Amino acid sequence: MMPADKLARMVLANATRSPKHFILSAFGIVIGIGAFVFFLAGTLGISDVLLGKVFPLDQVEVIAPHTSIAGKNLSQRMNADTVALIKSRKEVKEALPRMTLQFPATGFGKFEGQEIKFEVGGFTDGIPDVYVADDPKLVGVFKDWEANGDTSAIGPACVPNTPNNCPDKAWQYCDESDNMCHKRVPVIISQTVLELYNTQVADSHGLPHIGVMEQFIAERGRERMHFWMGLGSTMMAGSNVAIDPNKHREIGAILVGVSPKARRVGLTIPIGYVERWNRTFVGEKAAGEYSSIIVTLKDKDKLATFAQWLQDEPKLKLEDQLGSSFATAIFVIRLVLIGIAFTILLISVINIAHNFFMQVSERRREIGVLRAVGATRQDVLWIILGESAIIGVVSGLIGSLLAFLASLAVDWLLNNVVGKFPFKPDTLFRFEWWEFALALGLSIVFCVLGGLLPALRASRLEPATALAAN
Amino acid sequence: MAPVISLRDITKSYGTGAARTQVLRGVSLDIEPGELVALVGQSGSGKSTLLNIVGGLDKADGGDVTVLDHNYQRTPERELARLRNTSIGFVFQAFNLLDHLTCLDNVTLSAAFAAGGKDAPNRGREALDRVGLAQYAGRFTSELSGGQKQRVAIARALFARPKLLLCDEPTGNLDSATGAEVIEFFQKLNKDDGVTLVIVTHERRVSNIAQRVIAMRDGNIVEGAEAAAATPGADFGGPA
């Protein structure tokens, strides 16, 4: 068999000696690989935006089907037993409850010099702090400072309704209920809320846009993220809930960050606060009722099994997952687009095979000479396959480069021509090293596939017959 | 000493059914080391087919082919290729040079199919020097005359220092003066280097220098199968 270095030199020299043949063979593969990389990076980028920001999807949420008769909510209630039952399922890795604030509350304060006021009751829920343990920016910040009656975070004494006279002005406020400094209640919001603020509120109210929340906090200081929660009060006219005015209480809160774990519209705080406040304002039962249960499955493929069990046994259901619908849609779109790219590649394979058949026919005498001076059938096979592989390498590189350039052009149009829209990303594409490696590999495989039959035919030529060719 | 070429009852036909043509009809022949043999006969007599079979470029349908102690029926394809690479040289009427390569690259082509060979360029230049074309090493063969092309082809055949040189109408495309030079070169090569030569030819000049002339007709050897049985200068039929 021919030594590898000599084979490589001969293949390179052969592949470059006929630019016309090279371009004819490479053209289709370049287009196919370009389309493949472009579509793959495009669908990955779009799914990052849709599933990463618009519809975060790494857990499913279990809710009770809504039932009401004569205006009375008769929906099934979920409590600690429901959580335990769900946890007992073998396909479930973790089940964490969410609890909604079940009484009126308002949010108010100053933001960028403007008085702001918004409804909190019904738009706020609580989650266990372990639910955000995967976000280093929230660990140690998003926590229930007074969990299980812990008073270590309370103090010293202070005078309420005066400028903050607590030692840690960023994190503490003076609570009028006991004239003591308390840790502010940490609040997180979703990317959806941030986008709604940026696109619907900021411009119309002359407020600043917030790009990256952490950067905004760092630039303006923690104290600019303060606001108050008025428990028991409401902005809504016609509220039927009568709260004992003596129970009204104003709590200091602080916005600590943006998280996909926060409720899509509203505020999210540690669940301990919601439990205690529900107990105080509504009663013991409300302190044990969960609005939903967040379930992490061991395997996403077990979702259908789990959903069926939910319906059959505890008569619960999964919250409508727009995210999963989008995930399915994007997956199907990706398959269709990659299918198109593969179709182009397959047509290119036929084109390459045709070109190489012509080449083999034109080079019969050359193949005969090679056999006469000592080339084996295998040598001839490797020479032709090597030439097709070279076309694959070059086509893969050019196709990937074209796809990348096309993505830059699309992103430029997105940023300079297309107007603002919610969740507008800086790029619609996600390029990973493996996409290019895959493209290069596919390009080589398809080209070699195209060269295979002509190479076999060339290797089977009898030298005497080949030399007799005109 | 064993013959360089030993053929026993070689048959070969092309085509199938009604179109089947029997080209060789049981040819037997021995050629001894150092012989210069002219293989003559009319077109279609089977001489080129016989030469291709001896060189391993074509396969016999039947019979035994033994060349340089290799029985072709029992020798794997890879070993046959190695034999062509190291011990058998070919010179063709149509030169069969690769136009996209320089003269030197054409001459050293066989080195691509063998391990080592770092000295291939030097040996290639030596081979070109032997045929008087050292100064053409870097030229492409398309720039050469017919006679020069054939000399490059001979240099390519000599590059591996073969024991056996098989020539198929080597002077067929050359003018008489250039043909004479080539014939003279073959004679010298045979005498000085002891290379065994089998030359398929129509030319009397070639048969004149041959130690043995083997005449073929209709796929059979009709004269010269035995050493010293033929007379140089015999009548060998017309040109193709």
Side-chain angles (χ1 to χ4, degrees):
Chain A
M1 165 134 179
M2 213 174 162
D5 57 328
K6 293 178 178 178
L7 174 68
R9 273 201 295 274
M10 183 173 283
V11 162
L12 269 175
N14 286 350
T16 51
R17 82 175 195 243
S18 172
K20 185 183 152 201
H21 162 70
F22 197 96
I23 291 167
L24 277 177
S25 298
F27 183 75
I29 293 285
V30 168
I31 300 297
I33 289 295
F36 173 77
V37 173
F38 185 82
F39 292 151
L40 187 61
T43 50
L44 281 175
I46 289 168
S47 82
D48 280 353
V49 177
L50 280 177
L51 305 181
K53 290 183 179 173
V54 186
F55 305 106
L57 180 77
D58 45 8
Q59 276 109 0
V60 291
E61 201 161 345
V62 175
I63 57 169
H66 185 79
T67 316
S68 63
I69 295 176
K72 195 168 169 55
N73 184 5
L74 297 177
S75 304
Q76 191 188 155
R77 307 292 172 175
M78 294 188 292
N79 52 30
D81 293 340
T82 321
V83 175
L85 180 67
I86 289 174
K87 267 187 181 173
S88 69
R89 292 289 298 176
K90 63 176 187 296
E91 62 268 24
V92 172
K93 187 176 169 191
E94 183 63 281
L96 296 167
R98 294 191 90 112
M99 185 181 285
T100 307
L101 210 58
Q102 293 192 20
F103 59 92
T106 51
F108 60 92
K110 273 193 167 180
F111 182 64
E112 298 292 315
Q114 307 232 28
E115 292 286 346
I116 55 164
K117 203 167 186 188
F118 48 92
E119 192 67 22
V120 169
F123 293 100
T124 299
D125 70 359
I127 56 170
D129 51 11
V130 294
Y131 191 30
V132 296
D134 58 344
D135 186 346
K137 293 189 291 293
L138 296 178
V139 172
V141 175
F142 185 82
K143 65 181 283 191
D144 180 1
W145 298 101
E146 296 168 19
N148 304 319
D150 183 5
T151 54
S152 61
I154 301 175
C158 58
V159 182
N161 302 319
T162 57
N164 193 352
N165 52 9
C166 288
D168 185 350
K169 289 186 170 48
W171 289 99
Q172 285 184 309
Y173 73 101
C174 190
D175 195 308
E176 61 186 2
S177 66
D178 57 2
N179 292 352
M180 296 291 278
C181 293
H182 285 249
K183 282 276 192 180
R184 288 180 175 273
V185 175
V187 176
I188 55 174
I189 57 169
S190 68
Q191 188 69 29
T192 306
V193 172
L194 189 62
E195 288 294 332
L196 282 171
Y197 165 80
N198 278 332
T199 54
Q200 310 297 327
V201 179
D203 288 342
S204 54
H205 290 81
L207 294 169
H209 275 251
I210 301 174
V212 179
M213 178 59 85
E214 286 68 32
Q215 197 181 331
F216 187 81
I217 294 172
E219 284 168 3
R220 302 194 173 224
R222 285 279 180 195
E223 289 175 44
R224 296 285 187 94
M225 299 294 115
H226 291 173
F227 64 96
W228 292 91
M229 291 170 79
L231 306 183
S233 59
T234 180
M235 291 165 60
M236 288 180 71
S239 174
N240 276 336
V241 180
I243 301 280
D244 179 357
N246 292 326
K247 284 187 178 175
H248 282 212
R249 188 179 160 195
E250 288 181 355
I251 303 282
I254 180 169
L255 184 60
V256 293
V258 175
S259 168
K261 308 292 173 61
R263 60 182 290 150
R264 197 171 298 152
V265 177
L267 309 177
T268 296
I269 62 177
I271 196 168
Y273 290 106
V274 182
E275 279 176 11
R276 288 196 295 279
W277 297 344
N278 277 347
R279 185 174 293 116
T280 306
F281 286 86
V282 186
E284 189 60 41
K285 199 177 161 204
E289 279 180 4
Y290 299 129
S291 50
S292 66
I293 298 166
I294 306 137
V295 176
T296 309
L297 296 172
K298 287 174 185 161
D299 182 353
K300 276 185 180 176
D301 294 339
K302 299 285 182 196
L303 182 60
T305 319
F306 178 68
Q308 192 59 51
W309 171 79
L310 270 182
Q311 275 185 14
D312 295 344
E313 300 288 329
K315 310 289 183 200
L316 299 171
K317 67 169 191 173
L318 293 177
E319 193 189 36
D320 287 342
Q321 296 274 322
L322 265 180
S324 71
S325 306
F326 269 96
T328 309
I330 290 171
F331 181 71
V332 171
I333 291 168
R334 182 180 299 157
L335 280 185
V336 170
L337 293 178
I338 288 176
I340 292 170
F342 267 72
T343 308
I344 299 172
L345 286 170
L346 279 173
I347 294 168
S348 308
V349 167
I350 297 167
N351 177 48
I352 287 178
H354 174 70
N355 273 321
F356 270 94
F357 271 126
M358 275 170 51
Q359 279 267 308
V360 167
S361 181
E362 286 167 11
R363 290 163 63 186
R364 278 163 73 101
R365 191 179 276 264
E366 176 186 334
I367 291 163
V369 171
L370 297 182
R371 296 292 308 278
V373 299
T376 61
R377 289 182 192 281
Q378 255 188 341
D379 290 334
V380 173
L381 184 80
W382 283 117
I383 288 167
I384 306 287
L385 288 183
E387 288 173 24
S388 52
I390 292 277
I391 292 174
V393 171
V394 175
S395 306
L397 291 174
I398 294 175
S400 299
L401 181 69
L402 285 180
F404 185 69
L405 293 176
S407 77
L408 291 181
V410 170
D411 281 346
W412 185 88
L413 287 173
L414 177 77
N415 291 314
N416 295 284
V417 178
V418 180
K420 272 186 190 169
F421 57 84
F423 300 101
K424 186 179 175 184
D426 293 332
T427 176
L428 285 174
F429 300 87
R430 171 149 64 92
F431 287 100
E432 303 275 356
W433 69 267
W434 60 261
E435 290 170 54
F436 295 114
L438 185 63
L440 195 61
L442 277 176
S443 181
I444 294 170
V445 166
F446 275 96
C447 283
V448 168
L449 215 60
L452 187 60
L453 283 178
L456 283 170
R457 180 183 280 187
S459 72
R460 286 173 188 156
L461 276 175
E462 283 299 333
T465 315
L467 284 165
N470 290 318
Chain B
M1 195 181 284
V4 172
I5 299 167
S6 175
L7 307 178
R8 292 289 173 272
D9 209 18
I10 303 300
T11 57
K12 177 74 183 177
S13 58
Y14 292 111
T16 53
R20 191 162 184 268
T21 309
Q22 186 84 23
V23 183
L24 297 176
R25 302 166 187 269
V27 173
S28 295
L29 172 70
D30 283 330
I31 293 176
E32 302 301 324
E35 270 197 283
L36 195 165
V37 176
L39 194 54
V40 299
Q42 289 186 319
S43 288
S45 60
K47 52 190 190 304
S48 289
T49 301
L50 189 67
L51 196 76
N52 284 336
I53 289 172
V54 169
L57 301 179
D58 207 347
K59 280 183 185 147
D61 294 340
D64 249 11
V65 182
T66 304
V67 176
L68 295 167
D69 300 324
H70 289 74
N71 183 295
Y72 283 7
Q73 280 68 33
R74 293 196 288 270
T75 306
E77 193 263 340
R78 187 171 295 191
E79 184 58 26
L80 267 183
R82 202 186 67 80
L83 188 68
R84 288 196 297 271
N85 185 252
T86 58
S87 306
I88 303 175
F90 296 93
V91 179
F92 306 98
Q93 180 178 2
F95 322 131
N96 286 334
L97 297 173
L98 304 185
D99 288 342
H100 63 281
L101 298 180
T102 63
C103 293
L104 183 62
D105 288 339
N106 265 288
V107 170
T108 59
L109 191 60
S110 63
F113 303 99
K118 280 188 178 170
D119 60 338
N122 287 335
R123 282 171 44 218
R125 282 191 190 87
E126 275 174 34
L128 279 170
D129 194 34
R130 284 191 74 180
V131 296
L133 290 177
Q135 70 277 27
Y136 289 86
R139 292 234 193 138
F140 286 92
T141 54
S142 52
E143 301 167 28
L144 306 182
S145 69
Q148 287 169 326
K149 282 181 181 173
Q150 193 59 300
R151 278 147 72 187
V152 172
I154 293 168
R156 179 180 65 192
L158 298 180
F159 170 77
R161 299 187 184 108
K163 298 184 179 91
L164 173 64
L165 195 59
L166 303 174
C167 310
D168 192 359
E169 304 273 10
T171 57
N173 280 352
L174 305 179
D175 61 62
S176 59
T178 313
E181 282 175 23
V182 168
I183 293 164
E184 193 183 332
F185 183 82
F186 284 152
Q187 193 174 19
K188 193 167 178 298
L189 189 69
N190 173 254
K191 192 183 277 184
D192 296 350
D193 295 8
V195 176
T196 307
L197 278 106
V198 180
I199 305 172
V200 169
T201 186
H202 286 112
E203 285 209 46
R204 188 173 296 275
R205 287 182 302 179
V206 177
S207 58
N208 281 342
I209 61 147
Q211 293 151 14
R212 178 159 50 128
V213 176
I214 300 169
M216 291 190 70
R217 188 181 299 148
D218 299 331
N220 291 306
I221 292 178
V222 292
E223 197 177 326
E226 300 296 324
T231 311
D235 185 11
F236 313 122

